[in-house]
């Protein structure tokens, strides 16, 4: 085969196989292989590895977009010095995403500004990078979504559809109280995922006050029971990171 024939053959084959990375790298890697005296097997594996790496990266990018995070926050950007009570080994274990594989839950409790949403997004991104589909929304939006499904008689279908997400993140439970119907829908969501798929919840309220938010102590207790049966419960404490950074800035400026 001439070099031109080879190029057009490879263009055709990689198009049929939907492997555009190989189309881009095969010739250059062949040069390297000849120069480096690679075996045929080494060359083949190098070419395929590049394709797989690109496919995984674009899969991750698609899942990040599909997760609807409100913004990108990483665990690496989370300053654990500000949360001395947060156990590093627990955080490292959660970052390994083993809890998603086991359909376990994570509950992040604490006052406003202590980094609950930041941690939820950071852990969600870890799960996405590990290949799991994740979906993030606020508790209010989750209830709106479930109410809409309920009103059109498609709640079961919606709950089933949500099961293809291995991790659902429910942010800000407790900021806005739910009426009885909303609380029941929320309960159904939790019940439908019990031991099937992970849920991560953030809340500014301790469990003892969830009855207020769900306007029903019994529904709240039943929900907490299922949520925490297989769960890591993390309580963050301290001042708001926002106001602390502001205070530190002010202090630094007045010191000058
Ligand atoms: P919460 O959800 O608990 O109200 P957020 O996660 O929204 O708090 O945190 C408020 C802001 O402070 C965000 O911009 C977040 O990135 C930042 N933040 C909070 N805690 C930390 C931390 N320990 N390290 C780095 N940034 C933090
Ligand atoms: Mg928050």
């Amino acid at each position: 085969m001439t070099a031109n024939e080879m190029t057009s053959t490879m263009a055709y084959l990689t198009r049929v196989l939907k492997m555009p990375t190989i189309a881009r790298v095969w010739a250059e890697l062949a040069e390297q292989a000849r120069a480096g005296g690679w075996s045929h097997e080494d060359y083949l594996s190098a070419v395929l590895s590049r394709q797989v790496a690109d496919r995984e990266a674009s899969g991750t990018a698609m899942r990040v977009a599909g997760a609807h995070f409100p913004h990108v926050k990483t665990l690496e950007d989370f300053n654990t010095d500000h949360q001395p009570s947060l156990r590093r080994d627990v955080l490292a274990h959660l970052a390994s995403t083993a809890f998603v594989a086991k359909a376990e839950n994570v509950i992040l409790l604490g006052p406003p500004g202590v980094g609950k949403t930041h941690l939820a997004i950071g852990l969600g991104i870890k799960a996405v990078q590990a290949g799991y589909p994740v979906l993030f929304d606020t508790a209010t939006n989750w209830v709106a979504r479930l109410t809409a499904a309920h009103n059109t008689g498609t709640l079961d279908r919606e709950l089933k559809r949500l099961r293809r997400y291995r991790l659902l993140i429910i942010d800000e439970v407790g900021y806005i109280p739910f009426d009885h119907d909303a609380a029941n829908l929320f309960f159904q969501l939790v019940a439908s995922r019990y031991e099937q798929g992970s849920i991560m919840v953030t809340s500014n309220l301790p469990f003892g006050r969830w009855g207020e938010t769900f306007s029903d102590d019994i529904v709240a207790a039943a929900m907490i029971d299922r949520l925490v049966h297989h769960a890591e419960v993390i309580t963050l404490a301290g001042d708001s990171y926002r106001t602390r950074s502001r205070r530190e800035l002010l202090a630094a400026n007045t010191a000058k």
Side-chain angles (χ1 to χ4, degrees):
M1 225 186 264
T2 67
N4 272 346
E5 282 165 354
M6 178 57 97
T7 302
S8 59
T9 302
M10 286 300 284
Y12 168 74
L13 293 175
T14 52
R15 199 166 58 244
V16 172
L17 287 170
K18 298 193 169 57
M19 294 183 170
T21 303
I22 293 184
R24 230 178 33 247
V25 303
W26 69 269
E28 182 196 318
L29 285 176
E31 296 279 326
Q32 283 184 37
R34 269 189 292 273
W38 301 358
S39 68
H40 294 100
E41 291 84 351
D42 285 343
Y43 171 69
L44 181 62
S45 122
V47 166
L48 294 177
S49 300
R50 287 284 288 272
Q51 179 64 53
V52 168
D54 272 10
R55 197 165 281 181
E56 281 173 355
S58 67
T60 299
M62 270 178 59
R63 283 191 305 278
V64 168
H68 295 141
F69 295 117
H71 30 244
V72 174
K73 295 270 175 179
T74 64
L75 276 193
E76 289 71 22
D77 287 340
F78 191 81
N79 177 0
T80 46
D81 293 341
H82 191 65
Q83 282 297 331
S85 64
L86 173 62
R87 285 179 44 192
R88 314 284 165 96
D89 58 331
V90 170
L91 190 58
H93 183 67
L94 291 176
S96 78
T97 72
F99 74 98
V100 183
K102 293 189 275 180
E104 295 175 354
N105 302 326
V106 179
I107 322 287
L108 298 164
L109 303 175
V114 290
K116 300 181 299 296
T117 301
H118 186 141
L119 277 182
I121 295 171
L123 290 169
I125 287 176
K126 290 285 176 202
V128 161
Q129 286 168 343
Y132 296 116
V134 174
L135 192 54
F136 180 107
D137 220 330
T138 58
T140 314
N141 285 343
W142 278 112
V143 164
R145 178 198 292 261
L146 296 174
T147 303
H150 179 69
N151 291 344
T152 53
T154 55
L155 182 63
D156 283 344
R157 203 197 308 160
E158 177 68 0
L159 292 175
K160 191 167 165 211
R161 194 186 72 82
L162 289 173
R163 257 179 252 141
R164 75 186 178 84
Y165 293 97
R166 297 291 301 278
L167 172 63
L168 297 187
I169 304 181
I170 304 173
D171 198 25
E172 300 185 345
V173 167
Y175 281 113
I176 297 170
F178 298 126
D179 63 20
H180 204 79
D181 290 343
N184 267 314
L185 288 171
F186 216 88
F187 173 79
Q188 290 197 52
L189 176 64
V190 170
S192 84
R193 293 188 69 81
Y194 181 65
E195 296 183 340
Q196 304 276 324
S198 296
I199 296 183
M200 186 177 299
V201 177
T202 81
S203 178
N204 59 319
L205 295 180
F207 286 135
R209 293 185 54 197
W210 280 31
E212 296 164 31
T213 253
F214 291 104
S215 53
D216 186 323
D217 285 343
I218 296 174
V219 170
M223 186 152 50
I224 292 166
D225 198 49
R226 280 167 183 73
L227 271 179
V228 303
H229 184 201
H230 308 285
E232 195 67 63
V233 180
I234 293 180
T235 303
L236 301 174
D239 298 341
S240 165
Y241 199 84
R242 301 185 188 99
T243 50
R244 175 172 140 148
S245 324
R246 246 193 322 272
R247 269 204 310 280
E248 280 169 356
L249 268 177
L250 283 173
N253 281 335
T254 40
K256 270 182 208 156

